[in-house]
Amino acid sequence: MAAITSSLSDKPASAEAETGTAGAPSLTPAFSPLYQQIKVLMLQSLQSGEWKPSAAIPSELELAARFKVSQGTVRKAIDELAAENLLVRRQGKGTFVATHSEHHVQYRFLKLIPDNGDANSEGPAQRKIIDCKRLRASTEVARALALRAGDPVLQVRRVLSFADVPTILEDLWLPGAPFKGLTAERLTDYDGPMYALFETEFGVRMVRAEEKIRAVLPDADQCALLKTTAQTPLLSVERTAFTYNDTPMEMRRGLYLTDTHYYRNALN
Amino acid sequence: MAAITSSLSDKPASAEAETGTAGAPSLTPAFSPLYQQIKVLMLQSLQSGEWKPSAAIPSELELAARFKVSQGTVRKAIDELAAENLLVRRQGKGTFVATHSEHHVQYRFLKLIPDNGDANSEGPAQRKIIDCKRLRASTEVARALALRAGDPVLQVRRVLSFADVPTILEDLWLPGAPFKGLTAERLTDYDGPMYALFETEFGVRMVRAEEKIRAVLPDADQCALLKTTAQTPLLSVERTAFTYNDTPMEMRRGLYLTDTHYYRNALN
DNA sequence: CAGTGGTCTAGACCACACT
DNA sequence: GTGTGGTCTAGACCACTGC
């Protein structure tokens, strides 16, 4: 009873569609349920900036009308987007575009927890920008960010401290183009998660990330910045963060001191 | 139109129910949707062993009839259980109790990946049981397993090797009672994931786990078993694994060599 | 073919938040 | 009260599996 009037999608719900058996090439019929197609359309609204972080999206009934499907089908699309942390539902109020600014998800990607288990006891981390400079991508950084070696990138180095104890040393690399205008001052002045700044100032929303973790020993520079010794083993946490469409937008390498904190992970 | 005839649950769907405003104590109304109540009932069937690992559960229509609700309500309960990896849906065939024996989830809880990224290239790990003995719980182990200090526990030590290179040294502690009869021989002889053995031999199914990760240096014993040096930093991975009802059933401490492998984590 | 899970609909009603 | 998301239903039809 409904068809998405968009480009490449087929119309699995139409009764007249003669799919399958005929002489079509065997490139997988690529059947895609209606709610998946709607999810793609909503993803485009998010990506294009039609729906901005922390803003409300249209109500389920409005979307159902816009897409000419039932409310239930829209619901299922929203359900999946909410499960992926792209949207946040709030009963009685509406559905909102997720953001990194909300307090309860402030450190969504930071898994380092104090030994006492209470992340609030020590308050927010003190952040100190050590360096922020423009340079050309190494092959390693270029590969991680899907750029070409030599493309302009930004490199930031900072130290995070808890209760005035330096605990994390991070180097991070950002593609030059989307982050044109980012300076050490703006990073220092901004009061909130770095990913929130990326959203509000550069329109870049980090959606998911992958981390590779190893145990390493620090070099002399790293020792000095973390006020530790060359014999103290550290966690090396290498992160690639992605925006919409699985586009990598940040490469980051953190060194974590784990004598008073640990990296927490939940296996499901 | 439907009511669960089970114990403590209220009946939010009944029209005649006069909830809320009246003189009831303010212990939170504890409204729980029907599908959640059904989820609890299904959880009981899993826990009690009525539905065994890898077996099919009744069809959605059967369950709907049994619980006197619509198919859609049962579906929503199953959806959540499937999202928690307790059930596996297979279109056209049925819904099955998840297990640790299936090949594609064989190492669901092991996040150590070879640097080349291809977990299959090196094949399955070679496992060597070093030790398996009965002893009394230390306070630390007792706390992790929700026992009392001094209660009987099993301790197992083993080494995992990839391509004949020892890479993981694990110590693990199991509560004595549920694992009565576990010996080094049975661990050695069993060909498959340890958690699969726990399911088939002891009826203990691990449902989720938490890991605390740190960077450490090995002691002399550990060096010898991993054939490494005291200056090589290692990942210390401390895991607590839970069965149904968030009951802890295993405490495990792994030391991971990360020169040719890394611990992979996905942030969502 | 029958049986299973998967999709979609239309409509009723509940819980919650604002005004 | 109005509008939002959340639950529940009943029924139709589609897609996949196996007999």
Side-chain angles (χ1 to χ4, degrees):
Chain A
M1 275 63 172
I4 302 305
T5 58
S6 179
S7 48
L8 313 156
S9 52
D10 52 357
K11 302 161 59 187
S14 311
E16 80 267 13
E18 177 77 23
T19 60
T21 55
S26 58
L27 269 166
T28 354
F31 161 77
S32 152
L34 242 192
Y35 73 87
Q36 288 286 2
Q37 302 177 35
I38 281 153
K39 191 178 157 190
V40 168
L41 295 179
M42 294 181 68
L43 232 15
Q44 289 168 2
S45 293
L46 287 167
Q47 197 172 349
S48 71
E50 181 191 342
W51 299 336
K52 297 199 164 36
S54 86
I57 71 170
S59 77
E60 297 181 348
L61 284 171
E62 281 181 81
L63 289 171
R66 180 199 294 196
F67 297 133
K68 302 233 176 56
V69 299
S70 77
Q71 186 192 9
T73 301
V74 172
R75 272 191 76 74
K76 188 140 187 183
I78 294 180
D79 280 345
E80 294 209 349
L81 293 170
E84 295 168 27
N85 295 305
L86 298 181
L87 296 177
V88 176
R89 322 187 74 138
R90 274 179 247 167
Q91 182 172 155
K93 299 175 75 172
T95 301
F96 300 80
V97 182
T99 169
H100 286 276
S101 305
E102 299 153 53
H103 270 70
H104 59 107
V105 284
Q106 196 116 17
Y107 291 101
R108 208 177 101 202
F109 286 177
L110 178 59
K111 318 266 280 182
L112 198 69
I113 310 285
D115 282 345
N116 68 29
D118 178 12
N120 298 323
S121 64
E122 57 191 5
Q126 300 93 261
R127 296 159 300 185
K128 184 174 167 200
I129 304 293
I130 306 293
D131 198 10
C132 175
K133 62 187 175 211
R134 231 151 287 277
L135 42 75
R136 312 217 150 261
S138 67
T139 55
E140 188 198 2
V141 169
R143 185 156 29 84
L145 296 180
L147 301 173
R148 278 170 310 222
D151 282 353
V153 294
L154 261 155
Q155 179 179 354
V156 179
R157 166 169 280 200
R158 67 169 183 170
V159 172
L160 300 189
S161 300
F162 296 99
D164 285 318
V165 179
T167 306
I168 299 180
L169 169 61
E170 277 183 329
D171 285 299
L172 53 98
W173 292 266
L174 303 165
F179 288 98
K180 194 180 293 287
L182 181 61
T183 62
E185 286 68 41
R186 293 178 82 170
L187 283 168
T188 306
D189 294 348
Y190 189 82
D191 182 31
M194 192 182 285
Y195 287 166
L197 182 150
F198 291 174
E199 279 174 7
T200 55
E201 304 288 310
F202 303 94
V204 175
R205 173 166 159 69
M206 300 303 186
V207 158
R208 67 174 192 92
E210 286 177 5
E211 294 190 331
K212 298 181 180 182
I213 305 171
R214 292 184 156 87
V216 300
L217 292 175
D219 65 25
D221 274 4
Q222 296 161 348
C223 283
L225 287 162
L226 282 173
K227 299 200 200 310
T228 188
T229 68
Q231 289 75 45
T232 306
L234 303 174
L235 238 46
S236 159
V237 180
E238 199 175 297
R239 177 194 299 173
T240 306
F242 301 84
T243 3
Y244 299 110
N245 265 79
D246 275 344
T247 309
M249 269 298 192
E250 183 201 57
M251 213 280 246
R252 182 186 291 220
R253 183 158 188 272
L255 290 179
Y256 295 6
L257 251 171
T258 57
D259 45 358
T260 59
H261 292 69
Y262 61 89
Y263 184 104
R264 178 192 212 147
N265 195 23
L267 296 313
N268 303 303
Chain B
M1 274 62 171
I4 302 306
T5 59
S6 180
S7 50
L8 313 156
S9 51
D10 52 359
K11 302 161 58 188
S14 309
E16 79 269 12
E18 178 75 23
T19 61
T21 55
S26 58
L27 269 164
T28 352
F31 161 77
S32 151
L34 243 192
Y35 73 87
Q36 289 285 2
Q37 301 176 36
I38 281 155
K39 191 178 157 189
V40 169
L41 294 179
M42 293 181 67
L43 231 14
Q44 290 168 3
S45 293
L46 287 168
Q47 196 172 350
S48 71
E50 180 190 343
W51 300 336
K52 296 199 166 35
S54 86
I57 71 170
S59 77
E60 296 181 350
L61 284 171
E62 280 180 81
L63 290 171
R66 178 199 296 195
F67 297 133
K68 302 234 176 57
V69 299
S70 76
Q71 186 192 7
T73 302
V74 171
R75 271 192 75 75
K76 188 142 187 183
I78 294 179
D79 280 345
E80 293 208 350
L81 292 169
E84 295 168 27
N85 294 306
L86 297 181
L87 296 178
V88 176
R89 321 189 74 138
R90 273 179 246 167
Q91 183 171 158
K93 297 174 76 172
T95 302
F96 300 80
V97 181
T99 169
H100 286 275
S101 305
E102 298 154 53
H103 270 71
H104 58 105
V105 284
Q106 196 116 17
Y107 291 101
R108 209 177 100 201
F109 287 176
L110 178 57
K111 317 266 279 183
L112 199 68
I113 310 286
D115 282 346
N116 69 28
D118 180 11
N120 297 324
S121 63
E122 57 191 5
Q126 300 92 260
R127 295 159 300 185
K128 184 175 168 200
I129 304 293
I130 307 292
D131 198 8
C132 175
K133 61 185 175 214
R134 232 151 289 276
L135 41 76
R136 311 216 151 261
S138 66
T139 56
E140 188 199 2
V141 169
R143 186 156 29 82
L145 295 180
L147 301 173
R148 278 169 313 221
D151 281 354
V153 295
L154 260 155
Q155 180 179 353
V156 179
R157 166 168 281 199
R158 66 168 183 172
V159 172
L160 300 191
S161 300
F162 296 99
D164 284 318
V165 179
T167 306
I168 298 180
L169 169 61
E170 277 183 328
D171 284 300
L172 54 98
W173 292 266
L174 303 164
F179 288 97
K180 195 181 292 287
L182 181 60
T183 61
E185 287 68 41
R186 292 178 81 172
L187 282 168
T188 306
D189 294 348
Y190 189 83
D191 181 32
M194 192 181 285
Y195 286 165
L197 181 151
F198 290 175
E199 279 174 8
T200 55
E201 303 289 311
F202 302 95
V204 174
R205 172 166 160 72
M206 301 302 185
V207 157
R208 67 174 193 92
E210 286 177 4
E211 294 190 331
K212 299 180 180 182
I213 305 171
R214 293 183 156 86
V216 300
L217 292 176
D219 65 25
D221 273 5
Q222 295 161 348
C223 283
L225 287 163
L226 282 173
K227 299 198 200 311
T228 187
T229 68
Q231 289 75 47
T232 305
L234 303 174
L235 238 45
S236 159
V237 180
E238 199 175 296
R239 176 194 300 175
T240 307
F242 301 83
T243 3
Y244 299 111
N245 264 79
D246 274 345
T247 308
M249 270 298 195
E250 182 202 57
M251 213 281 246
R252 183 187 289 220
R253 184 158 187 272
L255 290 178
Y256 294 6
L257 251 171
T258 56
D259 46 356
T260 57
H261 292 69
Y262 62 90
Y263 184 103
R264 178 193 211 145
N265 196 22
L267 296 314
N268 304 302

